[in-house]
Amino acid sequence: MGLGRIRTALLGISFEETTVERRGFRDPGTGVREHLEKVGRHFVTGYNTALEESRASDLARRLDASPAAFRGFTYEGAAMA
């Protein structure tokens, strides 16, 4: 098992953590809930990707592949990792 996989296994965040129900929030309605959960998924993607990648160039390539509208959240997640 590579170092990135070990870091992800120990410190990774599950996408389940991005749901309104799991976070304990009142359901704001379908459209708002879907948007908030999508933002959360992009944050978690960035976070977990940063744990997986050891080279900055590989990390940047993967983060840049996220949709432009959510890229900032992806990078924020990576920075938190």
Side-chain angles (χ1 to χ4, degrees):
M1 182 179 282
L3 183 57
R5 294 185 83 174
I6 293 170
R7 285 191 301 241
T8 303
L10 292 173
L11 303 170
I13 300 173
S14 167
F15 286 116
E16 181 181 290
E17 296 295 330
T18 66
T19 65
V20 168
E21 293 83 15
R22 175 72 173 154
R23 303 305 307 157
F25 297 133
R26 181 179 55 83
D27 190 340
T30 303
V32 173
R33 181 184 69 240
E34 289 173 0
H35 181 75
L36 290 174
E37 289 177 349
K38 186 179 245 186
V39 165
R41 285 191 304 273
H42 282 282
F43 176 90
V44 167
T45 296
Y47 180 89
N48 289 337
T49 300
L51 295 176
E52 294 167 10
E53 292 294 348
S54 58
R55 293 173 41 132
S57 60
D58 293 335
L59 175 60
R61 179 183 44 77
R62 289 182 61 189
L63 298 178
D64 286 342
S66 63
F70 296 96
R71 195 168 298 143
F73 298 108
T74 307
Y75 268 88
E76 182 179 356
M80 291 296 292

